[in-house]
Structure formats: structure tokens, C-alpha cells
Amino acid sequence: MGSVLQSFDAFQTSLTLPSPLQPFYPNWCGADKVSLFVKRDDAIHPIISGNKWRKLRYVYGDNLPSAMVSFGGGYSNHLHALGYLCHQLGVTLNVIIRGNYHNTPTPMITDLTKWGVHIQYVDRATYKKRNCRNYLATLQAKHPHALIIPEGGSQTLALEGVKDMVDEIDIDFDTVIAPVASGATLAGIINAINSNPMNRRSQRSNSGHLHSVIGIGVLKGEGYLESLVEQFIPASNAKHCKVQSGTALPLSDWCIKHDYHFGGYAKAPPELTAFCNDFNSTMPFDIEPVYSGKAFWAVKDMLAKGSFREQSRIVIVHTGGLQGAR
Ligand SMILES: *Cc1c(COP(=O)(O)O)cnc(C)c1O
């Protein structure tokens, strides 16, 4: 494939940034008691999944590496975004994919192949070593000039890009809601809010209550997901609470809800698929069952249960990911 090489700056200029902040008026029980907004990171680019752009943004930059290595599953939004970016920018990309899709490539893998990405399929045991020092050292020796990027693009650098997303929100808000898998996106949101003292408390509120950040766990991981988030945030920000569904949210910095994973990562029982299909035929934008579908389901459920303070201004981050649903 002949690739059209672009400079990073030219590429960035082609993106829809800041992403739109769209008022959202679902006809859901309880929705009239609050103000809902959707931060449309899914609209940043038709191919690059929203939060994956945020997480990769500062990996690229002045010193573009000549090669990169990264990891993911067969439907990975991260590998898809990375593959497209590397193709556009002329960076050699090697990816390590869990499972053998050699004879049954997913649409994601077919795109990677089209973009000239080098693919290595590994079994689960090998994939498990993706964060081990020795394994990474061997990989680095094999690709001496390559920058190795962790699964999901989740590294400290990713938080800077997520902060840009929060900084773009130009309304006063009470709560931000986003799906959680590796935790870097949620950690980036928490850090962005806590790093700016003006952000820490809602300007609108005379009671000066704290902003809350609510993560929706998309996989089974009570305790585990919190620890993933905590590893990315300074200890002073690490305060969190566990909230049971149905109770009003306490004035907390952040928490993760574990009632909406639907059995685990990428598990999509019929009621979730039906919710997404119905949503996509009636709402002004689309969701998918792995991330955004669970997040919007959670919002609907929490609204019905009266989990939000009346008049709250709630920003739901649409992290993209529609390619994974193909
Ligand atoms: C990867 C991904 C997430 C999860 O983000 P983390 O930073 O890994 O928690 C959420 N939504 C979409 C669409 C994703 O692709």
C-alpha cells in the first residue's frame, strides 16, 4: 500500500479538536432532573478511537521514533489507532497479538495488514509476559530502535493527553463519567481535575462540593481496577470510595462502579446488545457494547435510581471504540 506520509502537525490539524461537547436529552427516567452532556471523543477521527488518540498524543511529537512495538487482543482499539497513526506518519510498527488469528483475521487485523503493520501472534502464556522486564528486554534487543508501548497505550504519558480532553470542557460540571479497563483514562481525568485547584470544586455550587469522577468498570475487577487507577495518580489523589448502586453519591473524588460489566470484558448479553441497537436507532450518535454501551447503560440505571444530585451537570465521555464492534 502506498502510504501518504504526513507530518505529525499536519495530521493533528486534520482532527476534530477540541472534540464537541454535546447536550444530551435521552428520554430516560430521571434524565429531566439533571443536565447531561456528552464529550464526543468518538468524533475526533473516523478511524482513531477517541481515548486512544488522547493516550497516544504525547507519544508522538518532536522526536518521532522510527519504530514502535505494542500489544493487544484481536479487536484492540489501541492497536487500530496506533496502526493507523504509524501508517500515516511513516513509523514501522510491530504488534504482538494474543491468540492466533492467522487464518481468521478480524476486521481490525485486516486493517493492520493493509497499513503495513508487522504482526506476531502469541499464545496466552507468552502474552502474559507483556509487562515482564526480561521479556521486554528481549523484545527491545530484537527491535533496538523501537519505542515499546504498553497494552492499551496506558502509561504515564497517556495521562497528559487525557488532561487535554478535560481542559477542553468549557462548562462548569459536577460529575464526569467514563468507562474503565486499564484505568489510564480515568486516572487522567482525576489528575486533570485535581491538578487545578479551580477545578476541584464546582463553581456553581455554593456548598462547594467536590467534583466527582465515576468510572464504569467494563470488566470484572472490583479492587483490581481501583489499583490500576491508583498506580497512575499521586497518593494525595488516591482517595476513593466504593458506592453501592441505589445510594446517593457521597462527596468523593472518584469511584468505580462494578455493577455494569455484564459478566466481563467484551461480554454482551442480549439485553446490552438490544440497548445499544435501540440507542443507535434513536440517539444522535452511536455506541458499542464493549465500552460506551456499558457506560451509557450505567448512566441510565443510575438516573433511574436517583444516584445524582438534582440539577447536577454530568459529562459522559464517549471514548469511541466503534471499530471494535465490527
Ligand atoms: C481502551 C478503551 C477504553 C478504556 O480505557 P482505559 O484507559 O484502558 O481504561 C474505553 N473506551 C474505549 C472505546 C476504549 O477503546
Side-chain angles (χ1 to χ4, degrees), residues 93-97 108-110 112-113 116-121:
L93 176 62
N94 291 278
V95 301
I96 293 163
I97 292 182
M108 193 288 286
I109 290 172
T110 303
L112 291 187
T113 308
V117 174
H118 306 285
I119 299 174
Q120 185 194 350
Y121 295 110

Side-chain angles (χ1 to χ4, degrees), residues 15-296:
L15 302 175
T16 304
L17 289 170
S19 69
L21 183 70
Q22 181 176 352
F24 179 50
Y25 309 105
N27 137 34
W28 296 342
C29 185
D32 52 334
K33 298 205 171 67
V34 299
S35 301
L36 296 168
F37 300 86
V38 180
K39 181 64 174 158
R40 295 283 312 278
D41 267 17
D42 61 307
I44 290 176
H45 186 272
I47 294 177
I48 299 172
S49 186
N51 75 331
K52 299 305 184 286
W53 162 256
R54 302 291 187 181
K55 292 163 79 172
L56 289 169
R57 161 69 185 84
Y58 290 102
V59 168
Y60 297 84
D62 297 341
N63 295 313
L64 201 61
S66 60
M68 295 188 190
V69 176
S70 197
F71 314 86
Y75 296 83
S76 168
N77 290 329
H78 161 65
L79 292 186
H80 199 245
L82 190 64
Y84 182 76
L85 276 164
C86 285
H87 172 66
Q88 291 301 110
L89 302 172
V91 176
T92 303
L93 176 62
N94 291 278
V95 301
I96 293 163
I97 292 182
R98 180 186 54 222
N100 189 345
Y101 294 89
H102 190 77
N103 295 319
T104 51
T106 63
M108 193 288 286
I109 290 172
T110 303
D111 283 344
L112 291 187
T113 308
K114 195 172 71 186
W115 297 328
V117 174
H118 306 285
I119 299 174
Q120 185 194 350
Y121 295 110
V122 298
D123 58 22
R124 286 180 168 269
T126 309
Y127 193 80
K128 270 203 168 144
K129 295 193 254 176
R130 66 190 178 280
N131 296 320
C132 297
R133 269 231 319 262
N134 291 347
Y135 178 71
L136 290 172
T138 312
L139 211 55
Q140 189 74 75
K142 197 168 145 202
H143 306 283
H145 303 294
L147 176 69
I148 301 180
I149 300 175
E151 181 185 62
S154 296
Q155 52 186 339
T156 309
L157 209 50
L159 276 62
E160 281 303 302
V162 176
K163 181 172 187 299
D164 289 348
M165 184 276 290
V166 176
D167 290 345
E168 285 172 16
I169 302 175
D170 57 0
I171 58 160
D172 191 19
F173 59 89
D174 298 289
T175 299
V176 181
I177 300 181
V180 182
S182 75
T185 302
L186 199 75
I189 295 170
I190 295 163
N191 277 349
I193 289 176
N194 287 345
S195 68
N196 180 351
M198 288 302 287
N199 275 342
R200 285 186 60 89
R201 284 163 199 283
S202 169
Q203 318 277 304
R204 284 183 325 113
S205 137
N206 293 329
S207 62
H209 58 256
L210 289 171
H211 282 296
S212 57
V213 179
I214 301 175
I216 307 301
V218 302
L219 49 98
K220 274 192 200 165
E222 191 154 355
Y224 167 69
L225 291 180
E226 282 82 358
S227 68
L228 290 181
V229 172
E230 277 164 3
Q231 76 182 346
F232 288 117
I233 61 184
S236 58
N237 290 348
K239 184 182 127 223
H240 71 271
C241 64
K242 295 209 174 83
V243 183
Q244 300 303 314
S245 45
T247 59
L249 288 167
L251 307 180
S252 69
D253 288 347
W254 65 278
C255 63
I256 297 177
K257 307 274 283 175
H258 296 281
D259 307 318
Y260 306 108
H261 55 62
F262 288 88
Y265 183 71
K267 294 266 169 24
E271 67 267 31
L272 179 61
T273 318
F275 171 74
C276 293
N277 290 340
D278 180 56
F279 189 106
N280 294 347
S281 62
T282 53
M283 302 293 184
F285 54 87
D286 285 354
I287 57 174
E288 47 64 53
V290 182
Y291 300 100
S292 49
K294 292 179 181 179
F296 280 90

